[in-house]
């Protein structure tokens, strides 16, 4: 077993012993057979490769053999021409010959081409069958138009030559665009049996139409059209001219009245049936039930058969009659409206009378009052009477009620407090009411009462005492007492000092009593009425007393059912925690409790010192681990391992603060 | 048979012989027998990969001669 410090290495047998003791299998010992990977790559399939190689080898060989060994290409070429004598002169002659030949050939070609040109004279006849892309109608008569060959796709195999005039083509295109933009649908709604070509689906298919425009040139390049314009014009003229007044045609002069025949259109099926069934000869049959027969209608319509001969004077056209009727109606309505209005107006006018009638009482009183004399005396008497009444009331009050002529202020808080049970735990209420027991010795009691009263009502005016005394039985004793109380206390000289002025003011009661703790206390309870006895303490969720503002906020939140937002709440929590911390703070220690922790450390290590160092090694992690181990050993109760380890680790670097932070 | 080096950077560098199909837990046991620290207190790592007890060395691809880091819990 090797050991160098802590570096231990066990041999195989030792490890096996350990393994068996642990219950593990013994070590598996393998022979190290290093399997090199290189042998695999060399396994090339020999069969195919070798054949190819052989072939190439053979080819190369052949090439070598074909070439004469040791000779360059130039030499080889030269070998061919060794038969001739003088190279240059031969070459010159040869080249001349070649040139001659070429020239002859050229000439031949030229002649032949010339001949061909004569034959290929391009004439009007050659234009036979050429197509022209524009419509014949677009061409003007007796004017020349230049046609050019229309562009075709290179890849179109079956394209024929089409001649086109650019201007006309443009015009045609423009017209087509306009036509299309008008969006005239060729769909005929009413054509039931119409061409399927013009159905809605096929409206936009224009392929069929494209091919139709144009014409083709005939023999000698002359246009052949089925009908020339002139012929067409002629035809039109003939047609117009052929109109004959005398000739009887199916069409008749239109009249504004239906003819009898046309009236038959309006016959219903039922009528026809009836007429046809009853009498085959007569077409029209009078229905008994129906009043207006066709004849009647006819008669009424036809001007010639009407009875009205039409004199102007007596003629009252229907229009006029209608107008008259309307006017009459209008006037009637107008009258009605007028009547209505007058009635309503009468009502309104008479309302005044009604009002007056209702207010009869008023007017009566008015009149009576007018009649009645206005005497000052009466009013004065009334007022005096009232005054007297008031005075009496006051006197009564004075007799019954309080001793003080002071203003009696009633606070809701004081009333509430008064209503509370004075013997209860909560109340601060000090009862100023003296319970007077009436004994036999009235004097004694009264004196006692007086004394008590005077003691309590120290700040009252002297007058109150005097009144009270007047009512009491014995005056002398009271006077004595009275005298003592009315003795004026010495006023301190204000000029001497500040304290004196304060004293004076306190005596007078002008100074407000100061709280003993001073302005530091925001968090004492709320004194709603500036009276000591009515301090209400509102508490928040932590139990702290709320200031006035905070209490208001809390109450309003409850009232409206709204809470502060998340941030606010967290803030408050933090504040509370900090406050707690602050409270926990020890005056004799740092906020983190350094002294305490150091003391505990000292106890455990029983060493008076603490090693502080920080290392800038890369082993910071290791250091931290060291410290962790150290702490672990500190706080756990592994005595044996601790001793050994702690000795070790004490010598290592320690950063106590770091540990504390991490551990906690 | 694999030989693994466990270094705890505190001065103890231990070479342990184990089988490849042994688990980390077995390794820890052998290691604890060699060092003298309880197996539960040992933590084996390889730069912030903490090796778990129930996985074999082969699965962790720990080969012969590899070095592991030794920490204590």
């Amino acid at each position: 077993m090797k050991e160098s410090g802590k570096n231990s290495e066990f041999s195989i047998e030792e490890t096996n012993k350990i393994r068996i003791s642990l219950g593990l299998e013994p070590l598996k010992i393998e022979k190290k057979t290093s399997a090199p990977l290189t042998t695999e790559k060399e396994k090339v399939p020999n069969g195919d490769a070798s054949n190819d190689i052989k072939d190439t080898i053979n080819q190369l060989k052949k090439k070598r053999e074909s070439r004469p060994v040791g000779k360059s290409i130039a030499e080889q070429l030269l070998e061919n021409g060794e038969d001739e004598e003088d190279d240059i002169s031969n070459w010159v002659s040869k080249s001349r010959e070649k040139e001659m030949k070429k020239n002859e050939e050229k000439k031949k070609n030229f002649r032949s081409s010339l001949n061909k040109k004569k034959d290929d004279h391009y004439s009007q006849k050659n234009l036979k069958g050429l197509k022209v892309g524009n419509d014949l109608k677009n061409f003007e008569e007796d004017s020349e138009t230049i046609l050019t060959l229309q562009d075709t796709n290179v890849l179109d195999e079956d394209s024929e030559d089409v001649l086109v005039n650019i201007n006309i083509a443009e015009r045609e295109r423009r017209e087509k665009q306009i036509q299309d933009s008008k969006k005239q649908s060729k769909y005929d709604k009413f054509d039931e049996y119409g061409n399927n070509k013009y159905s809605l689906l096929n409206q936009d298919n224009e392929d069929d139409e494209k091919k139709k425009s144009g014409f083709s040139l005939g023999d000698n390049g002359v246009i052949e059209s089925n009908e020339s314009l002139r012929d067409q014009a002629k035809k039109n003229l003939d047609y117009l001219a052929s109109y004959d007044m005398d000739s009887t045609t199916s069409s008749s002069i239109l009249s504004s009245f239906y003819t009898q025949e046309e009236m038959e259109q309006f016959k219903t099926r039922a009528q026809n049936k009836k007429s046809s069934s009853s009498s085959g000869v007569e077409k029209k049959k009078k229905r008994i039930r129906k009043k207006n027969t066709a004849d009647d209608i006819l008669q009424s319509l036809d001007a010639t058969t009407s009875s009205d001969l039409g004199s102007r004077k007596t003629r009252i056209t229907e229009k006029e009659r209608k107008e008259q009727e309307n006017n009459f109606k209008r006037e009637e309505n107008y009258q009605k409206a007028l009547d209505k209005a007058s009635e309503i107006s009468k009502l309104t006018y008479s309302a005044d009378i009604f009002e007056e009638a209702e207010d009869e009482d008023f007017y009566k009183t008015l009149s009576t009052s007018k009649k009645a004399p206005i005497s000052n005396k009466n009013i004065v008497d009334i007022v005096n009477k009232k005054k007297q009444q008031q005075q009496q009331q006051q006197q009564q009050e004075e007799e019954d009620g309080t001793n003080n002529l002071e203003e009696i202020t009633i606070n809701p808080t004081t009333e509430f407090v008064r209503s509370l049970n004075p013997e209860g735990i909560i109340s601060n209420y000090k009862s100023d009411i003296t319970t007077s027991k009436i004994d036999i010795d009235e004097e004694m009691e009264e004196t006692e009462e007086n004394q008590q009263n005077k003691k309590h009502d120290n700040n009252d005016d002297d007058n109150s005492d005097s009144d009270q005394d007047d009512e009491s039985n014995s005056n002398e004793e009271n006077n004595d007492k009275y005298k003592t109380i009315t003795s004026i206390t010495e006023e301190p000289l204000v000029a001497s000092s500040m304290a004196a002025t304060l004293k004076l003011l306190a005596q007078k009661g002008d100074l407000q009593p100061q709280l003993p703790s001073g302005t530091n206390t925001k968090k004492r309870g709320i004194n709603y009425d500036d009276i000591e006895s009515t301090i209400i303490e509102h508490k928040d969720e932590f139990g702290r007393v709320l200031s006035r503002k905070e209490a208001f906020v809390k109450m309003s939140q409850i009232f409206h059912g709204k809470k502060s937002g998340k941030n606010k709440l967290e803030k408050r929590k933090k504040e509370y925690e900090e406050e707690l911390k602050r409270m926990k703070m020890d005056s004799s220690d740092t906020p983190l409790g350094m002294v305490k922790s150091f003391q505990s450390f000292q106890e455990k290590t029983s060493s008076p010192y603490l090693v502080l160092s920080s290392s800038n090694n890369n082993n910071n992690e290791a250091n931290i681990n060291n410290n962790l181990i150290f702490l672990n050993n500190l706080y756990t109760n592994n005595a044996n391992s601790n001793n050994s380890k702690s000795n070790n680790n004490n010598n290592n670097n320690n950063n106590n603060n770091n540990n504390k932070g991490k551990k906690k | 048979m694999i030989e693994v080096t466990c270094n705890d950077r505190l001065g103890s560098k231990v070479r342990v012989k184990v089988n490849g199909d042994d688990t980390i837990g077995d390794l820890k046991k052998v290691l604890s027998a060699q060092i003298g620290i309880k197996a539960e207190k040992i933590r084996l790592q390889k730069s912030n990969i903490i090796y778990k007890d129930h996985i074999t060395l082969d699965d962790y691809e720990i080969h012969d001669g590899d070095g592991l880091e030794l920490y204590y819990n």
Side-chain angles (χ1 to χ4, degrees), chain A residues 6-12 15 18-19 22 24-28 619 625-626 629 632 638 645, chain B residues 1 3 9-15 17-19 21-22 26 29-30 33-35 37 71-73:
Chain A
K6 268 290 176 177
N7 300 345
S8 60
E9 190 186 344
F10 285 23
S11 66
I12 293 173
T15 5
I18 291 165
R19 286 177 75 93
L22 286 170
L24 295 171
E25 290 176 0
L27 293 170
K28 296 172 194 169
N619 287 351
N625 272 316
N626 290 344
I629 296 156
N632 193 10
N638 254 338
K645 294 278 175 189
Chain B
M1 191 204 69
E3 196 169 30
R9 312 279 182 138
L10 292 173
S12 26
K13 199 167 174 182
V14 183
R15 284 207 274 178
K17 292 182 178 59
V18 263
N19 284 326
D21 56 358
D22 284 343
D26 299 337
K29 284 179 192 171
V30 177
Q34 278 188 250
I35 301 174
I37 292 183
Y71 292 105
Y72 304 101
N73 289 334

Side-chain angles (χ1 to χ4, degrees), chain A residues 206-456:
Chain A
E206 294 176 355
D207 297 334
D208 298 331
E209 300 170 28
K210 273 183 186 173
K211 295 171 189 174
K212 299 226 163 171
S213 66
F215 56 96
S216 60
L217 298 172
D219 290 338
N220 295 326
V222 176
I223 300 160
E224 284 180 9
S225 55
N226 295 328
E227 281 186 352
S228 66
L229 283 172
R230 280 187 187 165
D231 292 334
Q232 280 182 357
K234 250 195 175 179
K235 275 191 178 176
N236 285 333
L237 278 173
D238 291 334
Y239 176 72
L240 288 170
S242 65
Y243 182 74
D244 215 357
M245 289 289 287
D246 301 329
S247 63
T248 56
T249 53
S250 58
S251 64
S252 61
I253 300 165
L254 290 171
S255 68
S256 56
F257 304 103
Y258 287 115
T259 58
Q260 283 195 5
E261 292 162 358
E262 284 165 359
M263 283 311 298
E264 286 171 32
Q265 281 179 323
F266 298 116
K267 260 193 179 180
T268 54
R269 235 195 250 172
Q271 280 181 326
N272 279 332
K273 269 190 180 175
K274 230 189 177 179
S275 65
S276 61
S277 63
S278 58
S279 56
V281 181
E282 291 180 357
K283 284 187 183 178
K284 289 170 267 179
K285 196 177 188 186
K286 279 190 184 179
R287 267 196 173 180
I288 302 165
R289 286 189 184 172
K290 219 183 180 186
K291 288 182 182 176
N292 291 331
T293 61
D295 294 336
D296 292 339
I297 294 166
L298 258 183
Q299 284 182 359
S300 63
L301 285 173
D302 203 358
T304 53
T305 55
S306 65
S307 56
D308 189 5
L309 295 170
S311 61
R312 278 186 195 171
K313 289 175 190 179
T314 57
R315 189 198 298 177
I316 306 167
T317 54
E318 283 215 17
K319 275 190 190 176
E320 285 180 12
R321 216 198 306 152
K322 276 185 186 174
E323 277 183 27
Q324 280 177 10
E325 281 178 11
N326 284 335
N327 284 332
F328 187 63
K329 279 182 187 173
R330 268 185 233 159
E331 283 180 12
E332 273 186 2
N333 289 333
Y334 180 63
Q335 276 297 317
K336 281 182 190 173
L338 264 181
D339 295 337
K340 248 193 181 179
S342 60
E343 283 173 19
I344 293 163
S345 64
K346 279 176 193 172
L347 284 170
T348 52
Y349 284 133
S350 61
D352 290 344
I353 302 162
F354 282 128
E355 279 178 14
E356 284 184 0
E358 282 171 359
D359 290 338
E360 277 178 6
D361 300 329
F362 168 65
Y363 283 107
K364 271 183 189 174
T365 50
L366 245 188
S367 56
T368 50
S369 64
K370 280 176 190 171
K371 289 171 191 171
I374 299 166
S375 58
N376 289 328
K377 289 179 191 176
N378 283 336
I379 291 169
V380 168
D381 287 342
I382 292 161
V383 170
N384 283 331
K385 276 183 190 174
K386 285 205 173 171
K387 260 196 181 175
Q388 284 171 8
Q389 282 174 1
Q390 276 183 355
Q391 280 178 352
Q392 282 173 5
Q393 279 178 2
Q394 276 182 355
Q395 284 172 4
Q396 280 175 1
E397 280 175 7
E398 284 169 10
E399 286 170 4
D400 295 334
T402 57
N403 300 322
N404 304 329
L405 278 180
E406 277 184 359
E407 285 183 352
I408 303 161
T409 55
I410 299 170
N411 272 328
T413 44
T414 48
E415 291 302 307
F416 170 69
V417 164
R418 198 177 292 167
S419 67
L420 289 173
N421 187 5
E423 289 156 28
I425 305 165
I426 302 170
S427 75
N428 290 333
Y429 181 67
K430 298 165 195 169
S431 59
D432 283 331
I433 300 166
T434 57
T435 56
S436 59
K437 294 178 183 178
I438 302 167
D439 279 340
I440 301 166
D441 287 338
E442 288 181 351
E443 289 179 7
M444 285 302 292
E445 292 296 333
E446 282 168 0
T447 53
E448 282 177 18
E449 276 182 41
N450 287 334
Q451 279 177 2
Q452 281 174 359
N453 283 335
K454 280 161 195 170
K455 277 179 191 170
H456 285 297

Side-chain angles (χ1 to χ4, degrees), chain A residues 554-599:
Chain A
K554 186 191 170 191
M555 283 197 276
S556 61
Q557 279 182 348
I558 291 166
F559 178 77
H560 293 284
K562 298 203 175 172
K563 294 180 197 170
S564 317
K566 187 183 76 172
N567 284 334
K568 232 346 179 323
L569 289 172
E570 279 184 18
K571 244 189 181 177
R572 293 195 73 228
K573 270 188 193 171
K574 273 189 186 173
E575 276 177 21
Y576 178 62
E577 282 162 14
E578 279 184 6
E579 214 182 299
L580 286 177
K581 268 193 185 174
R582 224 182 296 137
M583 303 235 280
K584 276 189 185 175
M585 262 197 328
D586 205 4
S587 61
S588 60
D589 201 354
T590 62
L592 289 172
M594 266 299 301
V595 177
K596 222 180 176 183
S597 57
F598 183 61
Q599 278 180 354

Side-chain angles (χ1 to χ4, degrees), chain A residues 458-579:
Chain A
N458 246 337
N459 289 329
D460 294 342
D461 292 336
D462 292 337
N463 291 326
S464 61
D465 287 332
S466 64
D467 280 340
Q468 190 183 355
D469 288 331
D470 285 335
E471 292 172 4
S472 63
N473 286 331
S474 59
N475 292 323
E476 292 176 0
E477 291 168 1
N478 291 329
N479 282 330
D480 289 335
K481 302 279 159 72
Y482 174 70
K483 278 178 190 173
T484 55
I485 287 159
T486 53
S487 63
I488 297 163
T489 53
E490 285 180 9
E491 283 188 3
L493 268 177
V494 178
S496 59
S497 63
M498 188 66 190
T501 45
L502 284 174
K503 252 192 180 177
L504 175 65
L505 288 172
Q507 268 187 7
K508 300 270 167 122
D510 290 333
L511 274 180
Q512 286 177 355
Q514 229 185 16
L515 291 169
S517 52
T519 53
N520 198 14
T521 57
K522 265 195 278 179
K523 298 278 180 167
R524 293 300 160 87
I526 301 164
N527 195 350
Y528 283 104
D529 296 315
D530 290 330
I531 301 170
E532 273 295 325
S533 57
T534 60
I535 294 172
I536 298 172
E537 290 179 347
H538 297 280
K539 304 226 173 125
D540 68 353
E541 65 262 26
F542 302 119
R544 296 180 287 176
V545 178
L546 294 174
S547 69
R548 201 182 176 95
K549 186 183 173 186
E550 287 167 353
F552 173 77
V553 166
K554 186 191 170 191
M555 283 197 276
S556 61
Q557 279 182 348
I558 291 166
F559 178 77
H560 293 284
K562 298 203 175 172
K563 294 180 197 170
S564 317
K566 187 183 76 172
N567 284 334
K568 232 346 179 323
L569 289 172
E570 279 184 18
K571 244 189 181 177
R572 293 195 73 228
K573 270 188 193 171
K574 273 189 186 173
E575 276 177 21
Y576 178 62
E577 282 162 14
E578 279 184 6
E579 214 182 299

